[in-house]
Amino acid sequence: MNENDSLIFNMSDRADTPSRIPFVVQVVVIQIVKELMDLYTDHGNNHKEIPLPAGRLHVFANDEIFASLGAKVYDMADNNLRIPGNIHMSYTPDAHVGIGTCIGTTAVWDMADGYVSPSIVGSDIGCGMRVHLTPLSKEDILDKKVRRELIRAVEKMVPVNNRSASTYQDIDLEKVVTHGLKGLPQQYIPDAYTPNRKTSISHVENAQFTFDTDYLEYIQSPQWGRGKKQIGTLGGGNHFIEFQVIEIEEEQREIADKWGMKDGQVVVMIHSGSRAWGAMMGREYKKDFEIWMSKKGIGTRDPNLVFAPINTDEGQRYLNLMYSALNYAVINRHMIAYGVLEGMKEVFGSKVEMPVLYDLMHNYALEEKHDGKSRLVHRKGTTRALPPGHSLNATPYQETGHPVLIPGSMGTASYILVGQSEGVKNYYSVCHGAGRIRSRRATKEQVTVDEFSSSMKVGTDEEILVNHRSLQTILDESPQAYKDVDQIIDSVVGANLATVVARCRPLAVIKGV
DNA sequence: ATGTAC
């Protein structure tokens, strides 16, 4: 992609991010930023530092990806840097324009006197990834008939249509948003998730986020109904369930062994979030922040970017309720996986085990200790990648560091990485995926179904099977909508933020609508 | 991303 293309893309994205300042002024801003872009410092190892008018932006990208970033993403970073007291702001190579803040942003404030921004967390709070290992190898599901059967069996348990209701009526919503995985009935923490029942939830990043439950009183009654109805449902857009086959990276074979991963093994990768529960939170509390800002006379160049100090009623209400959405997202992925396990049992027999490898998020703000200080780390489309030995690692991963789950696109590859100690320079944040190069609308206009189906190898023995009769309905999720994931991985590996443990190629894909 | 918002 050349620079002109990226500029056109970013200009057309303006429609999604309306701004109250006149168009002419925006052009001037972009030109100022463009001049400053030439003044960036190159630290080497895919790490660039850009002196924007409002502060410094770190960019972790190889030269090719760096050259493809349009002016609009720098304009957005400049807006975000205007929030007082920012300590660190960065882009991972998958950075692209989002609402108020780019996807691919890591932004940090001190807990003591810092700010929180629902715009930097983004709309799908707690959205993230989960991977389960299976006892199957590629040969077991190469037959298309078997894969079709598997897709059908999973769809019986995991609703993929927007309005279909949860399979589970015996889950107490208040319990799970309060206690996370610990609030689930015991039968949903099956032995088959792990050889040892006791460890199954210690494998995930956070089994429970604690918060002041008095704030749950702010949740309106329709939300409780909707939340209950959507437990264990997939959602639409980029959310998916994939059956993938893994190839271990030679140099990391030792870690792969410890994680129980083998060459040619089939794994289940899940991408989903907090559904309507978290979406409501973002919408509802954005209003709170707007009122706070107008009371204080604080304006922004982008009305979609709202923020308030952590130590305000508004900040506290948002943070506490955001944690309920993180709990929702984790149990939602857990229950999706439970549905997949039931589907697997139907096809491969009741003895199938499906241990969870890991579950982690890429949209949230979390209090973390850095340099001995408590800081609020916002990750909007970035993934935490803790290095070996870091004390925040989940118990089974203390020694190795935890698996970092990075989806590609449905026609390419996904990756499992592990963090590096040098990642401290970016608050241990890496990319969250390939990142879009085209908006949904632009993809539908520019990519044909033929191009899409040829990248899915339709009609060949290597065909990646999809649960949709026609690819037309999910055209905006075609591989052509995304950056080249190999370039993204090359960027973070070259920046010494993480290394590759395994490459995962899709064999079957389940998408929502 | 979202029973796609006012």
Side-chain angles (χ1 to χ4, degrees):
Chain A
M1 187 171 77
N2 65 40
E3 206 173 355
N4 274 348
D5 288 340
S6 68
L7 199 60
I8 290 163
F9 161 61
N10 285 313
M11 295 299 273
S12 68
D13 242 56
R14 276 175 195 290
D16 300 332
T17 55
S19 173
R20 290 207 180 101
I21 58 169
F23 182 69
V24 187
V25 179
Q26 290 188 353
V27 170
V28 171
V29 169
I30 285 168
Q31 280 172 352
I32 292 167
V33 169
K34 274 189 89 67
E35 276 165 32
L36 283 161
M37 276 164 63
D38 297 333
L39 299 173
Y40 73 89
T41 308
D42 194 336
H43 293 291
N45 296 332
N46 298 346
H47 179 191
K48 282 94 173 165
E49 195 174 336
I50 300 162
L52 296 172
R56 292 180 168 276
L57 173 73
H58 299 266
V59 180
F60 296 92
N62 66 20
D63 291 341
E64 191 173 332
I65 294 286
F66 185 64
S68 76
L69 295 176
K72 181 65 186 167
V73 298
Y74 293 113
D75 200 23
M76 268 199 160
D78 192 48
N79 288 344
N80 282 258
L81 281 161
R82 281 162 210 270
I83 305 172
N86 174 267
I87 291 172
H88 179 82
M89 177 94 50
S90 76
Y91 284 157
T92 42
D94 46 338
H96 62 95
V97 170
I99 298 170
T101 302
C102 287
I103 287 93
T105 297
T106 301
V108 183
W109 280 266
D110 255 321
M111 279 307 288
D113 56 1
Y115 280 69
V116 57
S117 168
S119 316
I120 309 186
V121 171
S123 53
D124 190 2
I125 299 168
C127 182
M129 308 301 302
R130 185 176 177 101
V131 166
H132 282 251
L133 307 178
T134 79
L136 307 176
S137 61
K138 188 184 174 184
E139 293 71 36
D140 297 320
I141 63 166
L142 221 46
D143 184 349
K144 285 186 199 172
K145 262 202 287 191
V146 174
R147 279 186 279 160
R148 288 208 180 90
E149 209 184 320
L150 192 51
I151 288 173
R152 215 176 306 121
V154 171
E155 276 192 319
K156 274 201 279 184
M157 293 300 293
V158 185
V160 297
N161 295 313
N162 217 351
R163 295 183 187 226
S164 43
S166 172
T167 316
Y168 312 100
Q169 296 308 309
D170 51 349
I171 293 173
D172 182 333
L173 178 58
E174 186 169 349
K175 261 193 190 163
V176 291
V177 296
T178 304
H179 302 293
L181 292 177
K182 294 169 184 168
L184 281 171
Q186 188 58 42
Q187 78 255 33
Y188 297 128
I189 317 278
D191 288 348
Y193 261 26
T194 165
N196 176 355
R197 176 189 291 257
K198 289 272 186 302
T199 60
S200 76
I201 58 176
S202 72
H203 277 65
V204 308
E205 192 164 80
N206 284 89
Q208 177 183 4
F209 293 90
T210 48
F211 62 97
D212 183 347
T213 54
D214 286 351
Y215 286 101
L216 289 175
E217 283 170 26
Y218 288 98
I219 308 240
Q220 308 289 312
S221 61
Q223 297 302 336
W224 288 102
R226 189 171 300 169
K228 173 139 181 147
K229 204 181 154 192
Q230 291 186 327
I231 290 174
T233 63
L234 186 59
N238 56 9
H239 292 168
F240 66 77
I241 300 165
E242 281 184 12
F243 290 89
Q244 305 168 339
V245 57
I246 59 176
E247 299 157 22
I248 308 293
E249 184 78 13
E250 209 47 54
E251 293 95 79
Q252 303 303 330
R253 199 162 280 283
E254 200 180 316
I255 288 186
D257 273 354
K258 283 181 181 158
W259 291 354
M261 295 161 61
K262 296 183 188 67
D263 268 312
Q265 184 176 16
V266 173
V267 301
V268 179
M269 184 176 273
I270 294 165
H271 182 193
S272 189
S274 55
R275 311 289 282 111
W277 184 268
M280 165 269 299
M281 226 136 270
R283 256 198 320 272
E284 204 58 34
Y285 299 106
K286 187 175 171 224
K287 291 178 210 152
D288 275 17
F289 282 62
E290 282 167 350
I291 292 165
W292 181 88
M293 288 169 77
S294 76
K295 265 199 292 204
K296 297 285 170 189
I298 297 169
T300 66
R301 300 193 305 168
D302 181 349
N304 281 315
L305 177 61
V306 298
F307 50 87
I310 295 164
N311 294 320
T312 52
D313 290 345
E314 292 79 2
Q316 285 301 307
R317 183 157 52 229
Y318 175 74
L319 272 176
N320 277 278
L321 289 172
M322 185 192 64
Y323 289 141
S324 80
L326 298 184
N327 283 332
Y328 190 105
V330 173
I331 70 102
N332 188 45
R333 284 189 294 274
H334 179 103
M335 292 311 300
I336 290 170
Y338 183 89
V340 175
L341 173 62
E342 292 300 300
M344 287 275 287
K345 283 179 178 172
E346 191 183 315
V347 178
F348 297 104
S350 60
K351 296 230 164 82
V352 170
E353 286 198 340
M354 217 176 81
V356 56
L357 180 71
Y358 205 55
D359 181 296
L360 85 183
M361 311 160 294
H362 47 235
N363 287 348
Y364 60 103
L366 201 60
E367 185 178 348
E368 294 176 3
K369 272 238 173 1
H370 290 271
D371 303 330
K373 285 184 181 155
S374 259
R375 288 183 174 157
L376 189 66
V377 181
H378 296 67
R379 295 191 177 91
K380 180 176 188 174
T382 60
T383 310
R384 192 163 77 171
L386 299 171
H390 195 289
S391 63
L392 285 177
N393 275 304
T395 319
Y397 300 115
Q398 271 298 320
E399 189 198 338
T400 57
H402 63 83
V404 179
L405 316 174
I406 309 296
S409 72
M410 55 195 290
T412 59
S414 295
Y415 284 85
I416 298 177
L417 316 178
V418 68
Q420 296 291 287
S421 56
E422 232 185 273
V424 69
K425 66 190 171 193
N426 194 31
Y427 286 75
Y428 300 117
S429 290
V430 302
C431 56
H432 84 303
R436 283 195 164 269
I437 41 171
R438 288 184 179 86
S439 66
R440 292 187 185 281
R441 191 200 294 174
T443 306
K444 282 182 170 156
E445 284 166 5
Q446 293 165 12
V447 181
T448 67
V449 174
D450 278 356
E451 287 167 328
F452 186 8
S453 70
S454 103
S455 60
M456 300 302 283
K457 300 175 191 139
V458 171
T460 74
D461 291 345
E462 301 282 288
E463 177 171 352
I464 302 163
L465 294 180
V466 183
N467 67 324
H468 286 259
R469 259 192 235 147
S470 158
L471 290 175
Q472 178 68 52
T473 48
I474 52 170
L475 190 55
D476 54 344
E477 281 296 313
S478 65
Q480 288 81 356
Y482 288 94
K483 299 188 194 186
D484 177 356
V485 69
D486 294 334
Q487 287 286 336
I488 303 303
I489 298 298
D490 177 74
S491 293
V492 300
V493 169
N496 298 327
L497 299 176
T499 53
V500 175
V501 176
R503 193 164 171 268
C504 317
R505 286 187 303 105
L507 298 168
V509 180
I510 297 172
K511 296 284 285 182
V513 275

